[in-house]
Amino acid sequence: QKEVEQDPGPLSVPEGAIVSLNCTYSNSAFQYFMWYRQYSRKGPELLMYTYSSGNKEDGRFTAQVDKSSKYISLFIRDSQPSDSATYLCAPEGGGATNKLIFGTGTLLAVQP
Amino acid sequence: EAGVTQSPTHLIKTRGQQVTLRCSPISGHTSVYWYQQALGLGLQFLLWYDEGEERNRGNFPPRFSGRQFPNYSSELNVNALELEDSALYLCASSLRQVSNQPQHFGDGTRLSIL
């Protein structure tokens, strides 16, 4: 079993839709959770950074962590064609490792 | 503020050769990380350097090595290149690890092995 599981998609939605992207993880030691956006031929761009369980909102983006079920989500409101990219969830490895454990990424396409 | 910069952007090598990739972190960041993004495997952690020392290493063979310089820039060296080393090599940086700090990535070096 992979430490982080993420549906690879592709996920296609119409412009303006609410998008839900999800990951599950297996290691209860994870405390910090990142979401990155990666455009083609670019490096990952940090979108959201959350600690432990709860919600965090930043503009059209909301990150949600449920440590009891080891489930993390990213919601995108009023999706735009410019949101079309691969979205990567990345818990931090716990302890003093400082390594990010990445999911495989979900490819999102927002249709105008 | 300049982001993480990596050079070169592309490289083509043949099996058995050696390669050096370079990374300059965001100004003020002391930690540098290297990740490999191979097709179908996703991003995998390679190395973490902080204050010139190797702090953590991923599950990669010893022919993957690196170093961090006094100005916090870093090099990744790969010896005896194999076909499966073809990948995007990404460098990230963060503030000093007094607490968990988010990592910011460059755009990577795309390495192709023929």
Side-chain angles (χ1 to χ4, degrees), chain B residues 7-29:
Chain B
S7 63
T9 54
H10 294 87
L11 267 178
I12 299 175
K13 293 285 187 179
T14 56
R15 286 178 58 194
Q17 286 189 309
Q18 177 266 342
V19 69
T20 298
L21 312 180
R22 294 177 175 83
C23 172
S24 293
I26 292 171
S27 178
H29 286 190

Side-chain angles (χ1 to χ4, degrees), chain B residues 4-77:
Chain B
V4 176
T5 56
Q6 294 186 242
S7 63
T9 54
H10 294 87
L11 267 178
I12 299 175
K13 293 285 187 179
T14 56
R15 286 178 58 194
Q17 286 189 309
Q18 177 266 342
V19 69
T20 298
L21 312 180
R22 294 177 175 83
C23 172
S24 293
I26 292 171
S27 178
H29 286 190
T30 63
S31 278
V32 170
Y33 310 82
W34 289 94
Y35 290 82
Q36 183 195 64
Q37 189 173 29
L39 203 60
L41 291 178
L43 272 138
Q44 297 186 76
F45 170 78
L46 261 168
L47 290 159
W48 167 32
Y49 291 95
D50 186 65
E51 295 289 350
E53 299 286 332
E54 182 181 302
R55 303 295 184 181
N56 194 16
R57 182 181 184 85
N59 189 25
F60 282 84
R63 57 191 186 83
F64 287 83
S65 65
R67 55 179 173 167
Q68 186 179 33
F69 298 98
N71 67 354
Y72 303 113
S73 67
S74 177
E75 285 182 351
L76 174 69
N77 299 292

